[in-house]
């Protein structure tokens, strides 16, 4: 007895059509699908993590960027499981937040200079003992544990992997963080 | 003809003709002019190494001093040509080593050059002066050592963007102490560290050195020492532009730069630490060419540098410059002729920077001399393209890469036909065009109708039917190179315009709809074309004639089919209608 299970099967497609509907090709059916699976592409396909910008399946030779350039760009990006180095930066008293890409900076000096530039303020120089005492503002950051830390205590490479967001605190408030 | 000029007089007159076009015209006047001209032609340019054979060239031009040659098709840059396809220069070098003992210059692009070739060059040509290897591959630093050691009068060694197997930096130390002739050295593509003291001594004993492009391994702390020894430099490529921030390094560098009064071009800038950029400010007003395309620094640092270069003519930069930076560029650099904006994150799904079509529109508005553009971005509109076209009717090269294939006008969701149509209609001098975004056959109609000076066209993910290809092949009178990928173009347009292909250097089509049968037919009909089918799936004979080929490369040639094809390339010709034995 034919149970005609096919008729009750759930699948994409108009009822009555027997064709499997996986020929959902865009544009001309003449165009050969040149897409290759991620694993075939040379190394630039990253795993997607929650919140990180997705890397899409790549077409060979597109966009037309030469391998040399691709390699150099890969080497210059800091090895980062996240993909993006963007963190939010807030400054006490400023009407809106900014965003910066931590991966663009090589060290604290560059970062602080950039922040000073961006917010038109003076942050001053870090000292282990005094923090940023004496200057108008102090840079702080929220680390992976959710704690608010003073920028500068840990080595740079450790900092950029643990920093989730930045906050430029008014000097008066920062005193508490400075002396521990 | 009773009287004619003595040969020497004609030869002297011809010596003022440098363009091949002129010399070719001269050769057609009469037999004696042909003879005189061929004996005094000193420079030859072979745009496709397979279009002619070494024997033919040498037979016609026995006294050549400079050879320039290109091998693989342009799309090889993007990995569309499989490894081993061809472009071997060895047969040329071997033939020339016997025929042209006085050869002085060899310039190659996209060719396979082996260490054996380099050694042969270094030993065969006593007067050898210039070696330029652009996007070449197949050699190691050992080959470079031969050149350094044996070419006593070497003036130029330029390895731009070649893939060199870097065994060690030792090759540089092979330049003999009495080699003082160096004018240009470009080693920027090499990875290994060279002996700094050897480099320093080489620079110090080369009073004519005008161009020095270092590789990334040369540290910034040592750059000042080099520059100090070559204040006459016109073009400098730095090494890695990063170091611990130290005021003595900064001071040293600033002083060294300030002594370089002739500096016009800067490049390099890997790993830039912005704090060191001010070292260069003193030379900025003289800079006409700036390549910051590896500088991963933010817009405001880029802008600070670029806006000081008031005489800038050429800028290559990453999209970190953003629209705001391009606007600043447009206000400051009124002499700008060429702009290239490269993507910092081409494979990211989301834009990582604020660079849109606006940046390009600003530059097109503000820079009256802008004529050459390469621009990667993630959105475009017809309105923007129309604006650019109206602003810059003198545009000569326009290459736009919208990162997402088939992306429509982001404002209207329409195809970008009208925008590119405006480009070809307004820019009557346009010689090179690369298309992207959503495009129908209509854009090709515009191109065929208006782009009469167009010489090179690159098409990807565009068009609806054969009509598109037909418009281009039948309308673009000056077309020399056509490269197409992933377009629904097939047999009809190709076969209907077969004769056109003999007027062009080459045609590349990959992932299109050209059938094997059509390729065979084309090969049979056109004996002066090499019709190469490149297919990694195995012999095309094993599939039906109607099956589309993976890749097709057609070029005109007087040398017949080539004999160095790998297993995945088949030439279609009379001999092929039937069985073929690999």
């Amino acid at each position: 007895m034919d149970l005609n299970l096919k008729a009750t099967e759930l699948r994409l497609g108009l009822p009555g059509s027997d064709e499997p509907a996986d020929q959902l090709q865009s544009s001309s059916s003449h165009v050969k699908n040149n897409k290759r699976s991620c694993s075939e592409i040379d190394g630039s396909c990253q795993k997607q993590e929650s919140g990180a910008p997705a890397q899409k399946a790549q077409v060979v030779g597109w966009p037309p960027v030469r391998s040399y350039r691709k390699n150099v760009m890969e080497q210059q990006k800091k090895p980062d499981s996240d993909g993006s180095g963007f963190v939010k930066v807030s400054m006490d008293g400023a009407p809106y937040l900014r965003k910066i890409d931590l991966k663009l900076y090589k060290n604290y000096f560059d970062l602080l200079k950039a922040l000073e530039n961006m917010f038109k303020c003076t942050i001053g120089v870090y000292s282990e003992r005094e923090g940023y005492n004496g200057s108008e503002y102090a840079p702080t950051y929220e680390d992976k544990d959710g704690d608010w830390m003073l920028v500068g205590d840990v080595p740079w490479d450790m900092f950029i992997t643990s920093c989730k967001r930045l906050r430029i605190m008014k000097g008066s408030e920062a005193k508490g963080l400075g002396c521990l | 003809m009773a009287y004619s000029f003595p040969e020497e007089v004609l030869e002297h007159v011809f010596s003022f003709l440098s363009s091949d076009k002129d010399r070719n015209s001269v050769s057609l006047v009469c037999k004696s002019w042909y003879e005189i001209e061929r004996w005094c032609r000193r420079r030859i340019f072979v745009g496709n190494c397979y279009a002619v054979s070494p024997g033919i060239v040498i037979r016609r031009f026995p006294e050549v001093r400079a050879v320039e040659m290109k091998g693989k098709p342009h799309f090889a840059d993007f990995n569309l040509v499989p490894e081993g396809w061809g472009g071997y220069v060895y047969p040329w070098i071997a033939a020339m080593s016997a025929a042209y003992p006085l050869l002085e210059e060899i310039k190659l692009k996209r060719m396979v050059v082996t260490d054996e070739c380099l050694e042969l060059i270094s030993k065969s040509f006593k007067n050898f002066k210039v070696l330029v290897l652009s996007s070449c591959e197949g050699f190691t630093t050992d080959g470079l050592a031969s050149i350094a050691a044996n070419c006593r009068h070497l003036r130029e060694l330029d390895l731009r963007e070649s893939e060199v197997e870097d065994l060690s930096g030792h090759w540089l130390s092979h330049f003999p102490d009495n080699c003082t002739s160096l004018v240009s050295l470009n080693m920027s593509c090499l990875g290994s560290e060279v002996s700094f003291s050897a480099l320093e001594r080489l620079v110090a004993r080369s009073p004519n050195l005008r161009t020095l492009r270092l590789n990334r391994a040369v540290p910034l702390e040592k750059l000042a020492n080099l520059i100090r020894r070559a204040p006459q430099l016109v073009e400098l490529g730095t090494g890695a532009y990063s170091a611990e921030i130290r005021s003595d390094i900064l001071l040293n560098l600033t002083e060294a730069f300030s002594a370089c009064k002739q500096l016009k071009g800067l490049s390099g800038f890997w790993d830039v630490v912005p704090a060191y950029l001010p070292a260069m400010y003193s030379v900025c007003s003289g800079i006409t060419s700036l390549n910051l395309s590896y500088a991963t620094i933010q817009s405001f640092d880029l802008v600070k540098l670029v806006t000081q270069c008031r005489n800038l003519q050429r800028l290559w930069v990453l999209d970190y410059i953003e629209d705001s930076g391009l606007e600043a560029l447009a206000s400051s650099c009124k002499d700008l002729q060429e702009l290239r904006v490269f993507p910092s994150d081409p494979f990211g799904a989301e834009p990582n920077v604020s660079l849109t079509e606006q940046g390009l529109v600003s530059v097109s508005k503000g820079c009256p001399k802008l004529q050459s553009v390469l621009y990667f971005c993630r959105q475009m509109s017809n309105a923007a393209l129309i604006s650019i076209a109206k602003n810059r009717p003198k545009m000569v090269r326009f290459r736009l890469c919208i990162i997402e294939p088939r992306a429509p006008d982001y404002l209207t969701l329409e195809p970008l036909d009208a925008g590119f149509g405006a480009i070809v209609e307004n820019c009557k001098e346009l010689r090179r065009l690369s298309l992207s975004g959503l495009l129908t056959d209509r854009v090709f109609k515009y191109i065929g109708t208006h782009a009469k000076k167009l010489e090179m066209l690159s098409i990807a993910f565009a068009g609806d039917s054969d009509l598109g290809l037909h418009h281009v092949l039948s309308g673009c009178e000056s077309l020399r190179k056509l490269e197409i990928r992933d377009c629904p173009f097939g047999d009809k347009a190709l076969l209907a315009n077969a004769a056109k292909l003999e007027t062009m250097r080459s045609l590349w089509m990959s992932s299109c709809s050209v059938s094997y049968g059509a390729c065979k037919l084309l090969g049979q009909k056109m004996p002066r074309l090499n019709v190469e089918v490149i297919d990694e799936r195995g012999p095309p004979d094993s599939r039906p004639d109607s099956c589309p080929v993976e890749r097709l490369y057609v070029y005109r040639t007087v040398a017949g089919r080539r004999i160095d094809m790998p297993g995945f390339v088949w030439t279609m010709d009379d001999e092929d209608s039937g069985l073929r034995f690999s």
Side-chain angles (χ1 to χ4, degrees):
Chain A
M1 187 168 84
D2 181 10
L3 290 172
N4 197 12
L5 290 169
K6 235 175 172 269
T8 57
E9 207 178 271
L10 280 176
R11 57 183 170 85
L12 289 172
L14 296 171
S17 67
D18 271 333
E19 296 287 298
D22 55 353
Q23 277 140 11
L24 292 169
Q25 300 257 356
S26 54
S27 71
S28 170
S29 52
H30 295 296
V31 176
K32 182 178 162 198
N33 190 341
N34 212 24
K35 293 191 193 311
R36 292 192 189 174
S37 67
C38 251
S39 53
E40 284 178 72
I41 312 295
D42 57 308
S44 14
C45 217
Q46 294 178 22
K47 281 209 168 63
Q48 191 175 343
E49 293 193 3
S50 55
Q55 299 278 21
K56 44 211 197 147
Q58 292 170 30
V59 175
V60 173
W62 192 268
V65 175
R66 304 192 53 201
S67 319
Y68 177 75
R69 180 170 292 283
K70 271 190 268 183
N71 294 339
V72 170
M73 297 308 293
E74 282 301 313
Q75 283 168 35
Q76 288 196 94
K77 284 189 184 160
K78 296 221 164 63
D80 203 305
S81 54
D82 263 40
S84 151
F86 275 102
V87 296
K88 289 185 187 170
V89 190
S90 61
M91 173 153 118
D92 293 354
Y96 49 79
L97 278 64
R98 302 295 304 270
K99 250 196 166 165
I100 57 169
D101 184 352
L102 289 180
K103 286 163 77 178
L104 290 189
Y105 304 99
K106 307 292 178 292
N107 50 45
Y108 284 121
F109 181 87
D110 287 353
L111 172 64
L112 297 179
K113 263 246 155 336
L115 291 174
E116 285 184 336
N117 240 336
M118 196 180 250
F119 292 99
K120 309 282 183 283
C121 64
T122 10
I123 294 175
V125 178
Y126 166 84
S127 85
E128 210 187 327
R129 238 178 127 255
E130 305 281 321
Y132 293 86
N133 262 356
S135 71
E136 236 194 302
Y137 293 93
T140 65
Y141 69 102
E142 185 183 354
D143 73 0
K144 285 199 167 134
D145 300 327
D147 297 321
W148 283 93
M149 316 288 294
L150 186 69
V151 169
D153 283 331
V154 302
W156 173 255
D157 288 324
M158 192 188 293
F159 165 71
I160 55 171
T161 51
S162 52
C163 171
K164 275 174 39 193
R165 55 184 295 166
L166 285 159
R167 177 183 162 199
I168 304 182
M169 265 180 182
K170 266 232 165 60
S172 45
E173 276 193 48
K175 266 216 189 95
L177 280 175
C179 21
L180 274 171
Chain B
M1 169 99 191
Y3 303 102
S4 56
F5 286 127
E7 264 184 41
E8 306 82 66
V9 175
L10 279 171
E11 226 185 275
H12 182 69
V13 172
F14 294 168
S15 70
F16 294 99
L17 298 173
S18 49
S19 100
D20 280 350
K21 231 170 147 254
D22 290 341
R23 282 185 164 266
N24 291 344
S25 305
V26 154
S27 305
L28 292 173
V29 167
C30 63
K31 282 199 184 134
S32 66
W33 279 37
Y34 176 91
E35 276 302 304
I36 296 168
E37 193 283 318
R38 77 182 188 90
W39 279 93
C40 69
R41 191 173 305 207
R42 297 280 175 263
R43 307 190 143 264
I44 53 164
F45 169 74
V46 178
N48 173 4
C49 63
Y50 291 120
V52 70
S53 71
I56 293 173
V57 173
I58 291 168
R59 242 190 329 273
R60 181 171 172 189
F61 301 116
E63 293 286 339
V64 165
R65 301 278 185 274
V67 172
E68 189 180 339
M69 195 174 313
K70 298 187 181 181
K72 298 188 211 172
H74 173 239
F75 272 177
D77 284 355
F78 315 124
N79 299 331
L80 289 176
V81 178
E83 193 77 31
W85 171 84
Y88 305 105
V89 79
Y90 187 80
W92 288 88
I93 308 289
M96 293 192 301
S97 68
Y100 296 150
L102 298 176
L103 192 70
E104 295 177 3
E105 288 184 24
I106 295 176
K107 297 183 181 174
L108 306 173
K109 187 166 188 179
R110 279 188 217 102
M111 295 200 76
V112 178
V113 182
T114 58
D115 285 349
E116 213 184 351
C117 293
L118 294 175
E119 201 178 329
L120 194 53
I121 291 172
S122 75
K123 301 241 165 88
S124 312
F125 309 117
K126 298 295 163 226
N127 248 6
F128 197 69
K129 297 196 169 83
V130 173
L131 183 64
V132 177
L133 301 175
S134 177
S135 307
C136 294
E137 49 155 3
F139 59 103
T140 78
T141 41
D142 284 352
L144 298 178
S146 311
I147 297 286
N150 301 317
C151 300
R152 303 272 143 165
H153 308 283
L154 195 67
R155 287 206 201 137
E156 275 184 53
L157 178 59
D158 185 339
L159 305 172
R160 54 182 86 156
E161 297 183 324
S162 289
E163 258 181 61
V164 186
E165 194 183 330
D166 208 323
L167 301 172
S168 85
H170 198 58
W171 65 275
L172 189 94
S173 309
H174 283 257
F175 278 108
D177 289 338
N178 59 7
C179 174
T180 58
S181 48
L182 220 50
V183 172
S184 168
L185 177 63
N186 179 355
M187 45 182 244
S188 54
C189 62
L190 297 178
S192 294
E193 202 175 331
V194 298
S195 149
F196 190 77
S197 57
L199 179 57
E200 218 176 351
R201 279 180 282 120
L202 179 61
V203 170
R205 66 175 182 274
S206 305
N208 299 315
L209 194 66
R210 294 280 174 277
T211 299
L212 179 63
R213 302 210 195 270
L214 304 169
N215 64 344
R216 199 167 170 187
V218 176
L220 187 62
E221 307 90 76
K222 299 203 176 145
L223 186 61
N225 296 9
L226 279 178
I227 301 178
R228 232 183 272 282
R229 300 195 194 288
Q232 76 283 5
L233 278 179
V234 174
E235 293 180 325
L236 171 70
T238 72
Y241 208 78
S242 74
E244 245 185 284
I245 315 251
R246 275 169 40 195
S247 50
D248 58 322
I249 301 179
L250 183 58
L251 196 59
N252 224 3
L253 200 54
T254 310
E255 270 176 13
F257 268 115
S258 63
C260 295
K261 307 284 183 205
Q262 326 248 29
L263 212 49
K264 289 211 168 351
L266 288 169
S267 61
F269 301 111
W270 297 277
D271 315 309
V272 178
V273 165
Y276 278 109
L277 289 174
M280 297 189 301
Y281 286 173
S282 62
V283 298
C284 282
S285 58
I287 295 296
T288 57
S289 171
L290 191 52
N291 182 352
L292 294 167
S293 64
Y294 298 111
T296 51
I297 51 177
Q298 295 222 322
S299 182
F300 60 87
D301 285 313
L302 288 165
V303 166
K304 264 197 294 192
L305 181 59
V306 162
T307 50
Q308 293 199 47
C309 302
R310 302 256 148 194
N311 290 308
L312 200 60
Q313 290 171 18
R314 172 167 38 171
L315 176 65
W316 292 19
V317 73
L318 284 168
D319 55 9
Y320 287 128
I321 195 166
E322 300 193 324
D323 288 342
S324 55
L326 290 175
E327 219 180 292
L329 175 72
S331 324
S332 314
C333 305
K334 295 304 184 184
D335 270 355
L336 196 71
Q337 292 172 24
E338 177 179 328
L339 174 68
R340 294 196 192 190
V341 178
F342 294 95
S344 52
D345 187 17
F347 304 110
E350 297 297 316
N352 62 325
V353 289
S354 179
L355 179 107
T356 69
E357 81 284 5
Q358 274 319 304
L360 185 56
V361 173
S362 309
V363 178
S364 76
K365 235 185 274 218
C367 300
K369 300 190 186 167
L370 187 71
Q371 45 156 260
S372 179
V373 167
L374 170 62
Y375 199 77
F376 283 81
C377 61
R378 287 168 188 277
Q379 66 184 42
M380 187 49 61
S381 66
N382 282 308
L385 284 170
I386 292 169
S387 183
I388 294 164
K390 296 224 164 97
N391 290 337
R392 297 277 66 87
K394 293 260 169 34
M395 190 73 72
V396 170
R397 275 168 236 103
F398 190 74
R399 293 153 74 187
L400 180 68
C401 179
I402 305 163
I403 288 180
E404 179 69 31
R406 304 191 189 92
D409 176 326
Y410 78 100
L411 294 168
T412 64
L413 297 184
E414 281 171 3
L416 291 169
D417 300 336
F420 280 106
I423 295 278
V424 292
E425 206 177 338
N426 285 279
C427 307
K428 305 207 195 291
E429 304 298 313
L430 198 68
R431 293 203 308 261
R432 184 167 181 184
L433 178 64
S434 299
L435 305 169
S436 57
L438 182 64
L439 297 164
T440 72
D441 284 346
R442 240 190 333 258
V443 74
F444 298 112
K445 184 148 193 255
Y446 298 146
I447 292 173
T449 307
H450 296 286
K452 295 305 181 186
K453 298 245 175 98
L454 193 66
E455 295 177 10
M456 182 168 179
L457 179 62
S458 309
I459 310 173
F461 305 103
D464 309 310
S465 74
D466 266 22
L467 206 49
L469 180 57
H470 176 69
H471 284 311
V472 171
L473 288 176
S474 57
C476 296
E477 290 160 9
S478 311
L479 198 62
R480 292 190 300 112
K481 290 179 278 184
L482 180 58
E483 47 185 25
I484 305 173
R485 63 162 297 174
D486 292 274
C487 296
F489 299 150
D491 302 346
K492 283 204 296 268
L494 196 59
L495 293 172
N497 292 283
K500 169 75 174 175
L501 300 177
E502 264 186 23
T503 70
M504 292 165 52
R505 181 186 297 174
S506 65
L507 166 69
W508 169 278
M509 293 179 74
S510 56
S511 305
C512 296
S513 316
V514 181
S515 71
Y516 176 51
C519 296
K520 278 196 287 188
L521 200 53
L522 188 63
Q524 282 160 28
K525 264 176 75 172
M526 312 292 299
R528 285 185 302 199
L529 293 178
N530 273 356
V531 178
E532 290 186 9
V533 168
I534 302 165
D535 210 313
E536 290 179 287
R537 296 172 296 178
D541 277 340
S542 60
R543 291 180 292 278
D545 270 12
S546 57
C547 190
V549 299
E550 273 182 356
R551 287 166 263 234
L552 172 66
Y553 185 49
V554 181
Y555 55 90
R556 66 181 175 188
T557 180
V558 294
R561 54 153 61 202
R562 58 183 175 115
I563 51 171
D564 61 357
M565 294 179 296
F568 52 83
V569 178
W570 292 265
T571 302
M572 312 283 106
D573 55 26
D574 297 334
E575 297 160 28
D576 268 325
S577 45
L579 297 169
R580 183 169 190 272
F581 301 98
S582 53

